[in-house]
Amino acid sequence: MKIAGETVLLTGATGGIGRALAARLAEAGADLIVTGRDGEALRALADRLGARWVTADLADPYDVEHLAKECAGTGILVANAALPASGDLLEYTPDQVDRALAVNLRSAVVLARLLAPAMTEAGRGHLAFVGSMSGKAATPHSSLYTASKFGLRGFAHALRLDLRPAGVGVSLVQPGFVAEAGMFARTGAPLPRGARAVTPDQVASAVLRAIAHDRGEINIAPLKLRLRCALSVQFPSVAAWLQGQGAPDDIGRRIVDAQRASR
């Protein structure tokens, strides 16, 4: 699907990946709408790119519905917003659990539900979801975040089957560790040993490619991580055993440290 001239709604626009996506979508000629919680940062980004902006807290069901109404006529949704939500589940309150699931999963589902009918009526449109390689493989101390990303992956693939006959595309882009963005970049915590990162621009390029060519899933990560995740999908017990042969808690500890520093 061509991006030029289409109304594109981008969530999570003020984060590292979000800013890269906003710039690339604007360059591609989108009639861009950016959204996030930080109104000041959002307005500055929108002014720089010539985009429209709508503030919204995607943990708030009212804000999600209001956003969909304000952005009626959207031809392409890029659902990028997410909370880190890593660490020991036992350290989260029920309200914090609800907020993480609301932002990472529910908001994407509801926005798709509210925006897709106009797309199906028109016989064209695209829904692009930015997930994570955590949607394919479990790691220690990531149960809440992993749950949201596993759910997003399943939702995107099933919705793709449902909307294909109507001419509406659905894509899922899953990055691994991202440099210059996310909790590791915000806190300065080092990546886990042996981990290699991708850049926000690589993720943005993958999203644009997924939309243009209606790709069901694109994984943006070094080959070693992609192979490990593929093994986890088919043989989760074997993958867990292999993790235990090395430094099983290294990734988990790094994520927890970064998560705590970002709170």
Side-chain angles (χ1 to χ4, degrees):
M1 181 174 181
K2 291 184 178 180
I3 294 172
E6 291 290 339
T7 299
V8 180
L9 171 60
L10 169 64
T11 70
T14 58
I17 294 175
R19 288 178 179 275
L21 276 165
R24 293 294 297 275
L25 289 166
E27 289 172 5
D31 178 9
L32 183 62
I33 307 172
V34 293
T35 186
R37 286 189 300 158
D38 187 339
E40 185 175 338
L42 202 60
R43 180 169 57 185
L45 177 66
D47 289 346
R48 179 165 59 83
L49 298 177
R52 290 181 282 164
W53 59 283
V54 181
T55 56
D57 180 355
L58 297 185
D60 184 334
Y62 171 81
D63 274 18
V64 175
E65 293 189 25
H66 175 72
L67 177 64
K69 290 177 182 178
E70 288 291 309
C71 301
T74 291
I76 299 172
L77 167 67
V78 180
N80 167 68
L83 295 176
S86 297
D88 189 342
L89 178 67
L90 304 185
E91 294 183 357
Y92 282 79
T93 67
D95 285 345
Q96 288 173 325
V97 170
D98 287 342
R99 182 172 183 82
L101 293 176
V103 174
N104 292 9
L105 182 58
R106 184 187 185 279
S107 68
V109 172
V110 174
L111 284 174
R113 166 63 185 86
L114 296 175
L115 296 175
M119 298 181 192
T120 60
E121 185 175 346
R124 59 195 303 275
H126 203 96
L127 303 167
F129 302 98
V130 179
S132 166
M133 295 300 284
S134 291
K136 300 186 75 171
T139 55
H141 310 294
S142 68
S143 57
L144 181 55
Y145 183 73
T146 297
S148 68
K149 294 305 181 181
F150 264 67
L152 186 64
R153 184 170 187 262
F155 171 72
H157 285 306
L159 187 63
R160 180 177 173 85
L161 298 176
D162 293 342
L163 297 184
R164 183 191 292 271
V168 177
V170 179
S171 297
L172 176 70
V173 174
Q174 299 187 130
F177 295 106
V178 182
E180 308 162 19
M183 58 186 171
F184 287 99
R186 287 198 304 270
T187 65
L191 292 175
R193 287 196 303 268
R196 291 171 50 210
V198 297
T199 67
D201 195 60
Q202 285 177 299
V203 180
S205 293
V207 172
L208 268 65
R209 187 164 72 251
I211 295 170
H213 301 290
D214 191 20
R215 296 279 299 275
E217 178 175 311
I218 299 179
N219 298 311
I220 305 298
L223 178 61
K224 183 177 180 180
L225 179 55
R226 285 185 279 123
L227 290 175
R228 183 185 302 170
C229 289
L231 178 67
S232 294
V233 170
Q234 295 297 323
F235 307 104
S237 295
V238 174
W241 180 83
L242 289 174
Q243 278 194 58
Q245 301 312 295
D249 283 338
D250 183 59
I251 292 178
R253 288 195 189 107
R254 299 286 189 180
I255 291 174
V256 171
D257 289 345
Q259 170 73 2
R260 284 172 174 164
S262 66
R263 286 179 179 172

